[in-house]
């Protein structure tokens, strides 16, 4: 041994050995120049992509210590960590562009529900809580990662160098997430009769939130060359999903879509009932101890 | 007889015993029990801190905590794999855990009451685990020793993260400093209990030392942990809750007070604050996931038949 604590004594000197100082470590060397565009729109766009990742990561992390198998516990935590990493880069970029002195934590912990811009697919309860199960969880992972990957593949050429770098890093992660989900869709569809029912039910549940993913938002329309129009990712999404469903011997879900409210949905801060509870949990400690240092 | 002498020589010479080598039944049974308990501890140990992932007060802390709890699942996996090299079956070991027939570290039967507990668990609980586990990197059974090397690297990372959280909190508000002290007050004694009963009471130690499964006695390791923790507590600015804790220049060690052995045995026997809750959580995850595991098995079988 034999000193198990060797190296601990200098902990005070290296304050940030754990995960670096945040975005600078992950995107070291990337040009952080802010492109010539409407600042409000650019900030909002970074929040949209960042909130999708943050809120979905929060949901996935709920599986920690509850997965069907230890290997799956590790895999879902990995995916949640990847998305949390993406969220931090994007919220930090939003804060930087906004330029009023907020940081990733101020944006994550001190905004109210109506200010969050994530799609509703990210926030709904798909299990392990009462809102779903492993089948629904896998169905959402397939839909979400297929969509986000298709968007990120188009974002790598963004005129915002930071968004382009986040996308380049993210597509490797998202390709793994999508593959992980697709493998499970095959297993569940081809496993037992019961597991097949569960994945079909899961796909039906989350499919109701797909139209929202491809609706062009005015923020995206205001940022040509910087933002990706999600409508442009629809054909690729459809093709990938059809390939997976075909291989699994499943039909594409035929379900009614969950409508927007007067044309507004998650991107405009119009969320489902689950969102307030999710934020209450996420923000509770940070908000109840103002001035605290973490 | 030759085989037995060969085994004894291997062990006495500090060489590793490997899965295909001959070994006494008692050695195998002792190892399976110890490794399984260790694996169960990693898995049950995910719960007290996992409980705080959704509420972690900064995104960096959330990432650190999620990564840590995920590591513990990985530790469980390495250890179950090591137990399987001895002929144990992971599914059976899991059954034993959720039926209460095999134990796990009692420390995880204590509740986490505030976010400071995340830091204190990293500092003291992972710290005590390191003291116990670093010598196991040289334990006589090869697969166990190799698993422990990977585990120990990550545990020391956990410990540093925990200590760093506490340092940050101590530089924050008065409320935060009080949270840290309160947490230290609650976790100090249970951490000392992690080293097990005193040497006089420890039934398994002697044989395990001969077999080089264990390399230090419980009391030696406990003393080492106390000696290491005192300066760290000072640097942090917290008081360890033991009025009898004092440096003894003659011994070259700290003297410390007597552990509440009644509480120790009570928690070991299943009557700690969280024993029932921890097992119920594990059981629920296992039962809720049964259909998924069945589906994966059925799918793999169909694939095999088709090939
Ligand atoms: Fe561990
Ligand atoms: Fe640990």
């Amino acid at each position: 041994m034999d000193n198990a604590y060797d190296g601990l004594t200098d902990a005070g000197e290296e304050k940030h050995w754990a995960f670096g100082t945040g975005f600078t470590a992950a995107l070291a060397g990337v040009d952080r120049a802010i492109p010539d565009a409407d600042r409000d729109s650019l900030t909002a766009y970074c929040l949209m992509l960042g909130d999708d990742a943050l809120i979905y990561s929060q949901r996935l992390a709920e599986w920690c210590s509850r997965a069907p198998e230890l290997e799956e516990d590790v895999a879902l935590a990995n995916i949640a960590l990847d998305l949390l990493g993406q969220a931090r880069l994007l919220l930090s970029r939003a804060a930087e562009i906004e330029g009023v002195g907020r940081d990733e934590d101020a944006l994550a912990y001190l905004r109210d529900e109506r200010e969050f811009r994530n799609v509703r697919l990210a926030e709904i309860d798909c299990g392990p809580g009462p809102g779903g199960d492993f089948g629904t969880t896998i169905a959402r992972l397939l839909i979400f990662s297929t969509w986000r990957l298709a968007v990120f593949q188009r974002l790598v050429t963004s005129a915002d160098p930071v968004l382009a770098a986040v996308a380049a890093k993210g597509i490797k992660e998202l390709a793994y997430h999508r593959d992980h989900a697709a493998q499970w869709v095959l297993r569940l569809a081809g496993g037992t009769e019961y597991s097949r029912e569960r994945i079909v039910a899961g796909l039906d549940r989350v499919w109701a939130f797909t139209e929202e993913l491809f609706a062009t938002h005015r923020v995206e329309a205001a940022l040509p060359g910087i933002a990706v129009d999600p409508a442009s990712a629809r054909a690729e999404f459809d093709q990938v999903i059809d390939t997976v469903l075909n291989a699994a011997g499943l039909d594409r879900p035929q379900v009614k879509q969950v409508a927007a409210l007067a044309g507004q949905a998650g991107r405009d801060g119009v969320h489902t009932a689950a969102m307030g509870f999710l934020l209450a949990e996420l923000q509770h400690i940070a908000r109840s101890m103002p001035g605290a240092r973490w | 007889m030759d085989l037995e002498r060969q085994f004894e020589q291997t062990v006495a010479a500090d060489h590793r015993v490997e899965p295909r080598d001959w070994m006494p039944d008692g050695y195998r049974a002792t190892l399976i029990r110890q490794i399984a308990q260790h694996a169960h501890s990693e898995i049950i140990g995910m719960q007290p801190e996992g409980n705080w992932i959704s509420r972690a007060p900064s995104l960096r802390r959330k990432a650190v905590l999620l990564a840590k709890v995920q590591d513990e699942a990985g530790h469980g996996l390495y250890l179950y794999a090591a137990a399987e090299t001895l002929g144990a079956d992971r599914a059976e070991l899991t059954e034993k855990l959720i039926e209460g027939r095999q134990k796990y570290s009692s420390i995880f039967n204590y509740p986490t009451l505030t976010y400071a507990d995340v830091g204190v668990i990293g500092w003291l609980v992972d710290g005590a685990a390191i003291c116990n586990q670093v010598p196991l990197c040289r334990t006589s059974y090869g697969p166990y020793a190799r698993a422990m090397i990977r585990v120990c690297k990550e545990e020391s990372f956990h410990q540093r993260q925990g200590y760093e959280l506490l340092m940050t909190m101590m530089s924050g508000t008065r409320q935060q400093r009080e949270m840290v002290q309160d947490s230290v007050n609650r976790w100090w004694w249970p951490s000392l209990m992690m080293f097990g009963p005193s040497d006089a009471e420890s039934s398994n130690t002697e044989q395990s030392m001969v077999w080089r499964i264990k390399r230090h006695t419980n009391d030696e390791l406990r003393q080492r942990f106390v000696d290491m923790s005192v300066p760290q507590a000072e640097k942090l600015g917290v008081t360890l809750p033991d009025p009898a804790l004092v440096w003894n220049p003659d011994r070259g060690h700290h003297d410390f007070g007597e552990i509440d052995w009644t509480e120790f045995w009570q928690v070991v026997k299943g009557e700690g604050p969280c024993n029932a809750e921890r097992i119920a959580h594990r059981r629920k995850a296992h039962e809720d996931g049964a259909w998924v595991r069945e589906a994966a098995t059925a799918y793999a079988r169909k694939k095999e038949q088709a090939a």
Side-chain angles (χ1 to χ4, degrees), chain B residues 68 72 126 155 158:
Chain B
K68 176 189 172 172
E72 306 301 2
D126 286 89
E155 297 299 2
H158 299 168

Side-chain angles (χ1 to χ4, degrees), chain B residues 42 49 68 71-72 75 126 129 151 154-156 158-159:
Chain B
E42 300 286 353
E49 289 182 275
K68 176 189 172 172
D71 282 349
E72 306 301 2
H75 298 172
D126 286 89
V151 168
E154 291 177 355
E155 297 299 2
S156 70
H158 299 168
Q159 202 210 12

